[in-house]
Amino acid sequence: MPASVSVAASARLHLGFLDMNGGLGRKFGGVGLALDAPATRLALTHADKNAVEGPESARAAALLERAQKRLGVTRRHRLAIEEAIPAHAGLGSGTQLALAVSAALRRLEDLPYDPTADAALMARGARSGLGAGLFQFGGVVVDGGRGAHTSTPPVVARAEFPDAWRVLLICDPDAVGLHGADEHDAFAELPPFDAATSGEVCRLVLMQILPALAEAELSPFGAAVTRIQELVGDHFAPAQGGRRFTSAKVEATVARLLADGATGGGQTSWGPTGFVFVDSDAAARRLLGRHGAQARQEGLDISIHRGLNRGAKIDAVYAQIA
C-alpha cells in the first residue's frame, strides 16, 4: 500500500453541448479538450484525523469526506492542495478537483481506479461526461449525453489534439461564470433547443471536428467550433446579459484575435474564459505580441497553451523498508 499519492489533473475547455433538445431520449452531450495548464495538483497521505490545506481547502475537505464515506474508507487522511484550477472560470475546476481527490483516495487505499463511477459518486457530471472522460483519457472527447438510466454520460469518441496546434486563453478575473443554483435556474429558464439546431451541432462534430482532428486540418476544425459556439452561445445569451460571452471584454478580444488569423473562437462553458486556436507556437506568439498588451491593459489574462493528450497523472510513493 502506498505511503502517499499525488495527482495532477488539468483544466479543460467545454466547446459546446450537442443536443439540449432531448427528443431522441438523450440530452446534452458535449465536446471538450484537455489543456496542459492550469492544473489541480494534490497529495494525499494517511493521518490520525482529516486535515486539508492549500487553495480550495474548504471545498476539498468536503470532497474528501464524501469520497471516504462513499468508498467505505474509515481511515483518516491529510490532503495538501499544491495548486488549483481557478474556480468558476469555465475550466472544469470542480469536477477535476473532485476526481483528483477520489482517485488519490482509491490509489492510497488500494481500490480500483474508476473515474466514471467517481463522477457520479462525487455528484459531478449532472449534464456532462467530459470531466470524467478528459480526466481519464485527455485529448478531445465527445460524450453521449444523459439518458433515462445514465449514471455518468459515456464517452463515445476520443481524438488526439495535434501537437503543433496551440490554444490562446483569455480570461477576465473580474467576471464569474454561472454556477451552483444560478446555473441550475438558468437551465430551467432557457427556451427549448430545437431539433434542427441540435442536428446541425451533431453533424459539425461528427463530420467536421473529428475528421479535422484525424487529418490535422485546423481550418475546418476551427470553423466548426466557431459555428457551434454561435449556436450554443445564442441559446445561452438570455442568461448572459444578452451576449454569447459572460465578459464583453473577453468577447471583444476573441473577435480581434479571430480577425487577425486565429480560428475556432468562443467561450468555454459559462466562461468567463474565452479561447481561440492557431496552427503553431510561432503563430500564437505573434498574436500574443500584437494583442497581449491591450488585453492586459483591459485587465484580462491571456496565455498560450497546448492540448493534453493524456489523462490525469497519478503517482504513488511507497515507504522504504529498512
Side-chain angles (χ1 to χ4, degrees):
M1 186 173 292
S4 67
V5 173
S6 63
V7 180
S10 201
R12 63 97 177 105
L13 296 183
H14 193 298
L15 302 179
F17 284 115
L18 305 185
D19 189 341
M20 289 174 287
N21 177 273
L24 297 178
R26 305 193 72 89
K27 197 170 183 180
F28 301 112
V31 57
L33 164 66
L35 297 174
D36 62 346
T40 289
R41 304 179 193 276
L42 56 82
L44 187 71
T45 58
H46 290 113
D48 293 333
K49 62 180 180 180
N50 278 359
V52 182
E53 60 186 44
E56 296 289 322
S57 56
R59 195 180 197 184
L63 291 168
L64 177 59
E65 291 182 7
R66 182 183 183 95
Q68 289 167 334
K69 181 178 179 180
R70 296 301 178 92
L71 292 173
V73 174
T74 57
R75 284 193 283 191
R76 303 294 89 180
H77 303 86
R78 177 181 177 273
L79 177 61
I81 312 293
E82 301 166 9
E83 181 183 354
I85 298 166
H88 313 312
L91 297 172
S93 63
T95 297
Q96 296 308 300
L97 179 60
L99 294 178
V101 168
S102 57
L105 184 62
R106 282 180 178 270
R107 186 70 184 88
L108 190 65
E109 300 296 341
D110 199 25
L111 297 172
Y113 178 61
D114 195 343
T116 301
D118 284 347
L121 177 148
M122 302 297 278
R124 308 302 304 182
R127 284 173 290 274
S128 175
L130 294 178
L134 292 169
F135 184 92
Q136 186 167 5
F137 303 114
V140 177
V141 162
V142 179
D143 86 76
R146 177 168 292 280
H149 306 291
T150 299
S151 176
T152 298
V155 171
V156 296
R158 183 205 175 265
E160 295 275 300
F161 188 79
D163 290 337
W165 295 2
R166 295 292 184 269
V167 185
L168 275 79
L169 292 187
I170 309 96
C171 188
D172 184 346
D174 295 327
V176 176
L178 284 180
H179 60 279
D182 290 337
E183 180 184 20
H184 181 273
D185 291 345
F187 273 106
E189 295 169 4
L190 286 169
F193 200 71
D194 67 88
T197 305
S198 294
E200 182 178 353
V201 173
C202 291
R203 186 182 180 204
L204 287 166
V205 171
L206 181 62
M207 297 305 296
Q208 198 161 346
I209 284 182
L210 292 175
L213 289 168
E215 298 180 343
E217 293 184 328
L218 179 63
S219 181
F221 172 83
V225 169
T226 297
R227 179 57 178 158
I228 290 170
Q229 285 283 313
E230 291 171 351
L231 295 169
V232 176
D234 286 343
H235 180 74
F236 286 120
Q240 298 181 148
R243 298 187 305 268
R244 290 173 179 166
F245 288 69
T246 292
S247 167
K249 292 189 293 184
V250 170
E251 184 172 15
T253 302
V254 167
R256 288 196 295 271
L257 292 168
L258 291 174
D260 199 15
T263 187
Q267 171 182 281
T268 173
S269 189
W270 291 104
T273 304
F275 60 83
V276 297
F277 297 95
V278 291
D279 62 2
S280 68
D281 187 68
R285 293 185 183 280
R286 282 196 298 270
L287 286 178
L288 187 61
R290 291 172 185 163
H291 301 277
Q294 181 176 349
R296 288 187 288 270
Q297 287 172 1
E298 295 175 355
L300 302 178
D301 297 327
I302 183 167
S303 53
I304 299 171
H305 299 267
R306 297 171 179 261
L308 186 68
N309 287 314
R310 61 164 176 79
K313 189 176 181 182
I314 304 170
D315 295 313
V317 175
Y318 292 84
Q320 292 185 347
I321 300 175

